[in-house]
């Protein structure tokens, strides 16, 4: 399958070419349920065989398992044929079983505990550890991971980690790696656009992986963050385009939103969006995937996939043809911001 691609070259250094459908590998770290190595490999093979060429991972995902599962898959693939990103901000250290990170979230994973470290040495060590787990010759993009309120529990704690990142020279480490040509781009993998904007205002970032904050359900990033990115040539990778599930499953019983059971107001809004989609004979999941790509700063969308069937659904969404009248109707019914690019 020939997936559409987008080329990004903010630094005039050749840039990177993204397939519009990328692969977010958190589910391959046994997120919420364990899958076998064979099933993980089959999902990755399905992605590759259908043209996916951007893969995002992180030390957190499965406490190293996501990166180690990518290792045999990427081995032997022509290195210039794909784009690879990972993240820094956590060191994953061995521990006793009772201290393992993510009980109830990561299943059947190594006995490891996360240690937040946004310092210069922490960034460099994390980068080296990821190289070892991935077994590749080059990592293209390095994101600082989870400097947000969602992860650290409060704005004060988030602000403290941001200060640690800049004051402890973790940011300087990332810039140094880029300046040396060891990576092509630096960015942030964050759950909140406000934190991304803070980073963009304080540093020279290339890309942001923004999870779940510019979707069919949420467009407040248009207030100030996305215009800032456009003005600076900063690219946006959308993670979590289905807001943890509800934009893929629809407003069904047990639907998930933002990693929790969906509240009634979200269920009601998705029900209304779904009704408009049905009137245009469009799957909700197709519209949800395509929507972020209508914004000019966006370079790729990376839904997760824990099995071949989910990957096939994502592929269908990436290739769907959405009539412009659908977006117009969503706006006229107050279900999408008028200033959202369509």
């Amino acid at each position: 399958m020939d997936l559409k691609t987008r080329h990004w070259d903010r630094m005039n250094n050749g840039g990177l070419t993204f397939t519009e459908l990328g692969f977010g590998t958190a589910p391959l770290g046994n997120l919420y349920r364990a899958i076998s190595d064979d099933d993980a490999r089959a999902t990755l093979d399905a992605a590759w065989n259908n043209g996916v060429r951007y893969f995002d991972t992180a030390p957190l995902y499965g406490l190293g398992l996501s990166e180690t599962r990518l290792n045999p898959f990427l081995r032997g693939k022509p290195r210039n044929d794909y784009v690879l990103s990972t993240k820094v901000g956590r060191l994953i250290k061995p521990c006793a079983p009772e201290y393992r990170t993510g009980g109830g979230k990561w299943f059947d994973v190594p006995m490891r505990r996360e240690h937040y470290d946004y310092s210069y040495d922490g960034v460099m060590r994390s980068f080296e550890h990821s190289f070892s787990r991935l077994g590749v010759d080059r990592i293209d993009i390095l994101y600082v991971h989870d400097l947000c309120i969602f992860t650290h529990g409060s704005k004060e704690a988030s602000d403290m980690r941001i200060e640690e990142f800049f004051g402890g020279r973790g940011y300087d480490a990332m810039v140094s790696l880029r300046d040396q040509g060891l990576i092509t781009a630096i960015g942030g993998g964050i759950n909140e656009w406000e934190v991304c904007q803070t980073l963009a205002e304080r540093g020279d970032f290339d890309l942001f992986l923004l999870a779940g904050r510019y979707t069919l359900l949420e467009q407040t990033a248009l207030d100030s963050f996305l215009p800032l990115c456009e003005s600076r040539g900063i690219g946006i990778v959308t993670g979590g385009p289905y807001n943890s599930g509800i934009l893929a499953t629809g407003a069904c019983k047990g639907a998930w939103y933002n990693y929790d059971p969906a509240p009634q107001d979200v269920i009601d809004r998705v029900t209304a969006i779904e009704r408009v989609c049905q009137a245009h004979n469009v799957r909700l999941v197709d519209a949800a995937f395509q929507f972020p790509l209508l914004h000019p700063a966006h370079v790729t969308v990376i839904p997760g996939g824990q099995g071949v069937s989910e990957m096939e659904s994502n592929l269908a969404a990436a290739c769907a043809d959405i009539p412009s009248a659908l977006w117009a109707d969503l706006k006229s019914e107050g279900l999408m911001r008028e200033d959202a690019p369509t």
Side-chain angles (χ1 to χ4, degrees), residues 44-339:
L44 287 165
D45 285 341
W48 184 273
N49 292 338
N50 284 281
V52 174
R53 293 296 184 270
Y54 173 48
F55 299 88
D56 173 70
T57 186
L60 173 66
Y61 302 159
L63 309 181
L65 181 61
S66 169
E67 289 183 324
T68 57
R69 279 178 162 168
L70 276 170
N71 181 315
F73 165 73
L74 293 174
R75 195 178 308 135
K77 299 282 193 298
R79 185 58 193 86
N80 291 333
D81 285 4
Y82 63 88
V83 175
L84 176 65
S85 59
T86 192
K87 305 182 182 76
V88 294
R90 289 176 175 90
L91 296 174
I92 307 300
K93 299 182 179 181
C95 67
E98 61 268 28
Y99 297 115
R100 182 176 75 77
T101 291
K105 181 176 182 179
W106 307 108
F107 289 83
D108 193 17
V109 295
M111 292 302 160
R112 302 288 187 270
R113 185 171 181 83
E114 65 180 1
H115 292 259
Y116 293 108
D117 192 337
Y118 294 101
S119 69
Y120 188 100
D121 288 345
V123 166
M124 291 301 194
R125 287 169 63 194
S126 179
F127 184 57
E128 291 174 4
H129 294 171
S130 287
F131 256 119
S132 295
R133 286 187 291 262
L134 287 161
V136 294
D137 299 327
R138 186 176 78 247
I139 293 169
D140 299 296
I141 308 164
L142 205 58
Y143 298 114
V144 60
H145 202 189
D146 286 345
L147 285 165
C148 45
I149 296 169
F150 180 83
T151 297
H152 296 292
S154 69
K155 186 176 188 306
E156 292 74 19
S158 170
D159 289 345
M160 184 183 73
R161 292 298 185 180
I162 292 169
E163 289 305 320
E164 178 187 337
F165 175 59
F166 285 102
R169 300 185 57 235
Y171 169 73
D172 293 342
M174 293 177 70
V175 171
S176 175
L177 290 168
R178 183 180 64 187
D179 289 348
Q180 294 175 66
L182 297 175
I183 52 177
T184 301
I186 65 171
I190 313 285
N191 290 290
E192 294 143 18
W193 66 262
E194 295 89 344
V195 174
C196 292
Q197 181 164 326
T198 296
L199 296 180
E201 290 170 346
R202 292 189 60 173
D204 180 34
F205 291 89
D206 303 307
L207 296 155
F208 285 101
L209 198 174
L210 181 60
R213 299 286 78 84
Y214 187 69
T215 70
L216 273 182
L217 277 172
E218 300 185 38
Q219 292 118 48
T220 57
L222 288 166
D223 290 346
S224 54
F225 174 60
L226 290 178
L228 175 65
C229 291
E230 281 190 87
S231 69
R232 294 194 183 175
I234 297 171
I236 301 294
V237 175
T238 282
Y242 311 140
N243 282 116
S244 299
I246 194 167
L247 290 176
T249 64
C252 60
K253 184 178 180 180
W256 287 78
Y257 168 77
N258 261 20
Y259 311 104
D260 285 312
Q264 191 60 47
D265 63 322
V266 170
I267 290 172
D268 293 343
R269 189 172 181 86
V270 171
T271 298
I273 293 171
E274 205 165 8
R275 186 170 60 249
V276 176
C277 289
Q278 289 169 351
H280 289 275
N281 196 31
V282 170
R283 292 193 312 165
L284 175 66
V285 67
D286 294 349
F289 180 91
Q290 294 282 344
F291 170 72
L293 291 167
L294 297 170
H295 191 282
H298 283 69
V299 295
T300 184
V301 175
I302 56 167
Q306 217 171 16
V308 172
S309 62
E310 290 181 19
M311 176 51 56
E312 290 173 344
S313 178
N314 292 332
L315 287 160
C319 297
D321 185 22
I322 311 295
S324 58
L326 169 64
W327 312 121
D329 285 353
L330 288 172
K331 289 183 177 183
S332 67
E333 295 198 21
L335 296 170
M336 180 188 293
R337 280 180 50 149
E338 285 287 343
D339 57 344

